[in-house]
Amino acid sequence: MNLRQKVGQLIMVEIPGTRLTSEVEAFIRDCHPAGVALFGHNLAGPWTTAKFISDMQAVAADAGDAPLLVGMDQEGGQVSHLRYPCAELPSQMARTAASGPPAAGEAAEIMGSEMQRLGVNLAFAPVLDVNTNPANPVIGPRAFSDDPDTVAACGIAAIEGLRRAGIFSMAKHFPGHGDTDLDSHLARNRVMHSLERLREVELKPFRAAIAAGVDSICSAHVSFPALDPSGLPATLSPRIMTDLLRGELGFKGVLFSDALVMDAIAAGKATNIPPAAIAAVNAGIDCLMVLGKLSQQRQCYEMLVHAVEIGLISERRLDEAVERVQSLRLRASLPPAVTPAWPDMSHQAAATRMAQAAVTCLRDRQNLLPLTGNCSDVGVIEFASGSISPVETARNEPLGASTLAFLLGRRLPEARFLALQSDAPNALETLDAFLRDCTRVVVATRSAILDPAQVALLKHAASQGLPVIHMALRSPYDATLEPRIGTVLLTYGDQPAGVAAAVDVLLGEASASGKLPIQLEKPAQPPVLGTLPLLN
């Protein structure tokens, strides 16, 4: 390899569009990126996506490069770019509620097989964060549990499931994003736990994943003073990326950064990304998730080339990263021929089965389940949140379409329905007017723990003296927000199969057999987002 080819191994990039363009082709030929991260804006149905990936692989091969690493966030639940005709699998937390490691492994294998069929060879999964903070705005049900041993067991099962499907795994977000109260897309967190606590909780699942042969690890843009007193985020910290991860934990795979465009690193300025990229490589990162506009990514690449030329990045550090990245790329399989049969109904059936097994009845003190009799007095209220997190707004029912209203309305046509955005003008007055004609109420929240406006509306509904069934469709921590509500169902995600399963329980057509995978001991407090200033 020449220098430019070597430096290309340091970057995984974002590309525009759904088809190969001359601009994208020139970028691959000029910058020799190690891989491409696909997002929702790159996906236009399975055959178009498969052709796009195949075309990019052909360009890389023609440029003399190894197969591209083609990756995506495909965790299941809320963070899933592949939707119908692919199977939408329940969240990691829902899988734990369903059966734990068996469901985690089966779901990972299904998602992996569908990715592999398209030509995707790297899953940005599993999430190995231990979600000990109920008000965590970016992890929540993306985690398997708040118990490190459970997270470790389910994480190993997921890694093995991906491996069976021929997909590389990526454990994230090292050394742990589970006890944070800010979203790294928007700000930087500082976790103040002791070294002893970090070893017992946050690090345990990663240690297990390394022993299980995880292919890659993704860093967190989070500061851990107990691990590095300088206050550097883990992505930029040699003490964390090299001394801890490589030295103490013995990780030998590829170390990726989380996206450098996140404000925890970039602080809203594209000019902050190249120097951060250089610092991350010197800290021990092998491959940088640069992302953003192609012009900005090209600029970052050129600055990395210059950094090597003038010695800011040593040739030894470069060669070390190149060797690891190339080793992974040379194991990557090229896209298979995509057959016309899609969707795979066995995958859809498995998603349904897992979602049904995950539904948890936390309490039913007034025996309101199932809904019976003439339901003309039943009011069904769905809250949609405002802008609370880029992760949370990835799917924002019911304002676009409502699976709950569609499924429940077919079976209870006499019931009344209200879809209400929590921050809408006059939301409280609208809710009040709706409740006047109800004697029983079903309230569906979506991560209200992150949305004080939803909390206020939920509390208002509970204060009217009506029997209330609360369906927490995303975060199970919503169940702690209003203790006066005596009946609570948890789904750990609002993908269609999960909502359908909750409707079946609501109507008595299925039982709620899910096991609570977290501790719900006291009312959780909604976070005040964005209060911690970015570190320099």
Side-chain angles (χ1 to χ4, degrees), residues 478-498:
D478 287 5
T480 68
L481 296 170
E482 184 43 77
R484 288 175 295 182
I485 296 177
T487 302
V488 181
L489 292 176
L490 310 176
T491 65
Y492 315 97
D494 62 346
Q495 74 286 351

Side-chain angles (χ1 to χ4, degrees), residues 27 98 120 221 250 280 304 335 337 362 375 400 404 428-429 450 479 486:
F27 185 90
V120 177
H221 303 325
L304 287 166
L362 187 64
C375 290
L404 178 62
L428 185 60
E429 291 83 353
L450 307 179

Side-chain angles (χ1 to χ4, degrees), residues 69 168 254 321-332:
L69 296 172
F168 298 135
V254 178
V322 168
E323 182 178 356
R324 293 194 188 109
V325 174
Q326 277 293 101
S327 176
L328 193 63
R329 291 181 69 178
L330 291 172
R331 291 165 46 206

Side-chain angles (χ1 to χ4, degrees), residues 294-314:
L294 279 183
S295 59
Q296 294 172 350
Q297 294 179 92
R298 185 182 284 269
Q299 182 183 38
C300 185
Y301 166 76
E302 296 295 348
M303 291 192 71
L304 287 166
V305 171
H306 183 62
V308 176
E309 290 174 334
I310 65 174
L312 285 179
I313 297 174
S314 70

